[in-house]
Amino acid sequence: MTTGRVAQRRAATRAAILDAAWELAHESGLGEIGMRPLAAKLGMAASSLYEYFSGKDAIYDAMFIQGNEALRDEYRHLRDADKTNPREVLIDAARRFIEFCDADHARFQLLFQRSIPGWQPSAEAYAIAVANLEEMRGHMAYIGIADDASADMWTALTSGLASQQVANDPGGDRWLRLVEEAVDMFLTTRGVDE
Amino acid sequence: MTTGRVAQRRAATRAAILDAAWELAHESGLGEIGMRPLAAKLGMAASSLYEYFSGKDAIYDAMFIQGNEALRDEYRHLRDADKTNPREVLIDAARRFIEFCDADHARFQLLFQRSIPGWQPSAEAYAIAVANLEEMRGHMAYIGIADDASADMWTALTSGLASQQVANDPGGDRWLRLVEEAVDMFLTTRGVDE
DNA sequence: CCAGAATCCGAACACTGTTCGGAAAACCGA
DNA sequence: TCGGTTTTCCGAACAGTGTTCGGATTCTGG
């Protein structure tokens, strides 16, 4: 039985460790998470962390999953929204994505840049990221944009806007405010004018 | 006199260290450059490296400068090219940029992603990166695209294409082949049709 | 040739992620 | 409540890191 007292306590501690890891990432940067400072934040010894995660990489992996789950929730809003107007759907999607990236730089680095030397997401964690991409492609297909080239162009456009926004004007709107223009630009060359 | 025997030998050793550092970056990854392995590659002790660079960060800084100088040289080709056709200029610029990024992943990470924990380019090194951006803006102004929004859109578009290409299809052309389409898309909404 | 500068190296320091052995605590059936 | 098993915890230790320092060696220029 996985819902016993031990399993519950174990899950709670795992969650607490991840919370503390995010805190540390926000304070000192994603790459500056140390096992001893992390353990200290929770009042335990560094070696005790290995009861809950097989190592530092596993902690990054769990954070990667949490981040992608948060992005998936962001796309849920999209799914429930009105889909009659393709232009509005894309504008909403792009805005949400850029704001999602800018809202948490550590998360952005972890999810979309290979920022931790030597680390890469596990197959299980990567699957969630792929599923998110698939969901986005599904939304685009629904509004009549189904070819691969268009999907690739869309990912390039949105990821470019987001990375520029995060890197060069964090918290601002220098690239965020270009979303409408970008979507119009994207749509006019695709024969899907509203 | 900076061209004495000592200065010359010193410069040669600095260059050799940087070459070895690039080698190490290509072999094991940008973040896996260690002072002892780096020194071993040159047949010297790790502590001797500190005669030529103030530390590991200074080595990254010099590599950052080298990478940006290489990009500047790439833009030189652009400057000497035929500039009568805006569309061709932009296509050439985008292709060169994406291929430049894909040609050396370690360099790409160093120049365009904040990939080394705790490191950031010095003011002097960053100035070269800014100068490159300015040169690109100059080219765009020359062909009639001078407003800030357009320049920002261009950086987002090209950096997005490049990052997707490098991350998801290294060595291939899945995003590289979208350049023509991207430039046309960019130009049609800017009233600068050829 | 010789004083001074440049270069090199080994030892050491503080830090890192991780492993291991044993002690303490919690759990659960009898 | 007791006892046996599992779970949890911690300190010590190991190999690795970037870096500093003192002293030895090599080179340079007058």
Side-chain angles (χ1 to χ4, degrees):
Chain A
M1 39 203 75
T2 61
T3 58
R5 294 238 280 274
V6 293
Q8 210 161 349
R9 185 179 52 193
R10 190 178 172 81
T13 306
R14 274 182 61 105
I17 292 174
L18 292 181
D19 287 350
W22 282 114
E23 269 188 53
L24 224 49
H26 296 150
E27 292 168 11
S28 326
L30 183 66
E32 312 293 337
I33 300 178
M35 297 300 268
R36 270 171 264 257
L38 176 56
K41 219 178 226 299
L42 296 157
M44 57 164 101
S47 53
S48 301
L49 294 173
Y50 291 81
E51 292 289 334
Y52 303 95
F53 293 96
S54 64
K56 200 182 175 184
D57 289 0
I59 295 179
Y60 280 128
D61 219 63
M63 294 171 77
F64 182 87
I65 291 177
Q66 283 189 335
N68 275 107
E69 285 174 344
L71 180 60
R72 184 197 54 194
D73 293 345
E74 204 64 39
Y75 283 156
R76 289 265 183 273
H77 289 260
L78 214 61
R79 177 187 294 183
D80 302 335
D82 181 32
K83 295 220 255 178
T84 54
N85 190 337
R87 181 174 181 271
E88 294 304 321
V89 171
L90 292 183
I91 289 176
D92 191 34
R95 281 222 184 94
R96 281 183 190 279
F97 180 69
I98 297 172
E99 282 167 354
F100 175 86
C101 292
D102 198 29
D104 189 331
H105 286 209
R107 187 176 59 185
F108 172 74
Q109 282 184 41
L110 183 62
L111 264 57
F112 304 112
Q113 310 197 280
R114 290 286 167 267
S115 190
I116 284 86
W119 176 83
Q120 55 178 353
S122 66
E124 176 208 354
Y126 192 69
I128 303 184
V130 173
N132 278 341
L133 257 177
E134 285 303 316
E135 172 146 0
M136 191 60 229
R137 286 172 79 99
H139 285 140
M140 293 192 64
Y142 186 88
I143 62 177
I145 302 176
D147 61 305
D148 288 349
S150 291
D152 288 346
M153 185 71 83
W154 178 253
T155 59
L157 192 54
T158 50
S159 74
L161 287 167
S163 69
Q164 291 295 317
Q165 180 62 52
V166 168
N168 300 108
D169 183 38
D173 71 335
R174 185 168 152 190
W175 278 269
L176 184 61
R177 66 174 175 243
L178 298 180
V179 162
E180 277 198 44
E181 198 178 330
V183 168
D184 288 335
M185 177 176 91
F186 178 74
L187 282 177
T188 51
T189 57
R190 238 144 278 277
V192 196
D193 307 75
E194 56 167 317
Chain B
M1 37 203 75
T2 60
T3 58
R5 295 238 281 273
V6 294
Q8 208 162 348
R9 187 178 51 193
R10 190 178 173 81
T13 306
R14 275 182 62 105
I17 292 174
L18 292 181
D19 287 349
W22 282 115
E23 268 188 54
L24 224 49
H26 296 149
E27 292 166 12
S28 328
L30 183 67
E32 311 294 338
I33 300 178
M35 297 301 268
R36 270 170 264 255
L38 177 57
K41 221 179 226 301
L42 297 156
M44 57 164 99
S47 54
S48 301
L49 295 172
Y50 291 81
E51 292 289 334
Y52 303 94
F53 293 96
S54 65
K56 200 182 176 184
D57 289 0
I59 295 180
Y60 280 128
D61 219 62
M63 294 171 76
F64 182 88
I65 291 177
Q66 282 190 335
N68 275 108
E69 285 173 343
L71 180 60
R72 184 198 53 194
D73 293 344
E74 203 64 40
Y75 283 156
R76 289 264 185 274
H77 288 262
L78 215 61
R79 177 186 296 181
D80 302 335
D82 180 33
K83 295 221 256 180
T84 53
N85 188 339
R87 181 172 180 271
E88 294 304 320
V89 171
L90 292 183
I91 288 176
D92 192 34
R95 281 222 185 95
R96 280 183 191 278
F97 180 69
I98 297 172
E99 281 166 355
F100 175 86
C101 292
D102 197 30
D104 190 332
H105 286 208
R107 187 176 62 186
F108 171 74
Q109 282 184 39
L110 182 62
L111 265 57
F112 304 113
Q113 310 199 277
R114 291 285 166 267
S115 190
I116 285 86
W119 176 81
Q120 55 179 356
S122 66
E124 176 208 353
Y126 192 69
I128 302 185
V130 173
N132 278 342
L133 257 177
E134 286 303 317
E135 172 146 0
M136 190 61 228
R137 287 172 78 99
H139 285 140
M140 293 191 63
Y142 186 87
I143 62 176
I145 302 176
D147 60 304
D148 289 349
S150 291
D152 288 345
M153 185 71 83
W154 178 253
T155 59
L157 193 54
T158 51
S159 74
L161 287 168
S163 69
Q164 292 294 319
Q165 180 63 52
V166 169
N168 300 108
D169 183 39
D173 71 335
R174 183 168 155 191
W175 277 269
L176 183 61
R177 66 173 175 241
L178 299 181
V179 162
E180 277 198 44
E181 196 178 330
V183 168
D184 288 334
M185 176 176 92
F186 178 73
L187 283 177
T188 51
T189 57
R190 236 145 281 276
V192 197
D193 305 75
E194 54 168 320

